[in-house]
Amino acid sequence: MADSLLESSAVDELQSVCRTAVGDELRSITYYTSEGVEQVYLRSDLDRTADLVGFAELERAGFRAQNLYRNSQLGEYRATVRMFEHGYLTRVIDDDREHGVWVTTDSLSMERFEELSAALKPVLREISLESEAESEA
């Protein structure tokens, strides 16, 4: 896909990690940067009606918020979980670059949200390193 923000291997890795952590409760996976957004998975029983650009604009506020949370007594920022009538949205941001992923799910225990965010952090780090290597080449 020429307009893709991600290599196919990164898409596969995101899907694999989310599937492992969330299972059948996985609804969607969307990758975003400060300049773009790409839905990399949508469960077959859902419609493509979400305003991804609008969601991305809201989730980009997390780039700034993450910096504001630094050095708080709460510890290191890990993820944001938002509750909706029909599901949940978990946002995970890479610590060093302005990119992240939001994953929507059906209801999960807090432990599974924590597992999901912990599993996504190294994938985002790897995407960052691959992106940096490509830009230096």
Side-chain angles (χ1 to χ4, degrees):
M1 199 163 151
D3 294 342
S4 180
L5 295 173
L6 295 168
E7 298 290 327
S8 63
S9 60
V11 168
D12 292 344
E13 184 68 15
L14 283 171
Q15 290 178 357
S16 175
V17 163
C18 290
R19 260 285 173 218
T20 299
V22 177
D24 291 339
E25 288 81 10
L26 181 62
R27 294 171 66 94
S28 70
I29 306 167
T30 305
Y31 174 81
Y32 68 104
T33 66
S34 57
E35 303 193 3
V37 60
E38 177 179 352
Q39 189 165 61
V40 298
Y41 171 81
L42 180 67
R43 195 167 68 192
S44 64
D45 65 324
L46 300 173
D47 295 328
R48 290 193 177 274
T49 57
D51 175 11
L52 295 180
V53 173
F55 269 63
E57 195 60 36
L58 178 61
E59 298 308 324
R60 285 181 186 115
F63 297 147
R64 183 168 180 268
Q66 180 175 331
N67 287 327
L68 295 173
Y69 288 132
R70 288 194 200 285
N71 302 319
S72 80
Q73 292 184 16
L74 291 170
E76 179 184 336
Y77 169 83
R78 292 196 247 163
T80 298
V81 178
R82 300 181 195 281
M83 297 181 290
F84 295 88
E85 181 180 2
H86 301 293
Y88 296 78
L89 181 147
T90 303
R91 176 188 69 209
V92 180
I93 298 171
D94 181 31
D95 293 334
D96 296 327
R97 297 201 51 190
E98 289 192 348
H99 75 134
V101 63
W102 76 76
V103 178
T104 62
T105 66
D106 295 328
S107 184
L108 300 173
S109 68
M110 186 53 70
E111 290 78 20
R112 291 194 47 212
F113 286 119
E114 291 173 355
E115 290 170 13
L116 174 63
S117 63
L120 284 168
K121 283 280 190 180
V123 175
L124 289 172
R125 168 60 55 202
E126 185 62 30
I127 291 169
S128 286
L129 295 174
E130 289 173 3
S131 177
E132 287 173 15
E134 286 177 14
S135 64
E136 291 175 2

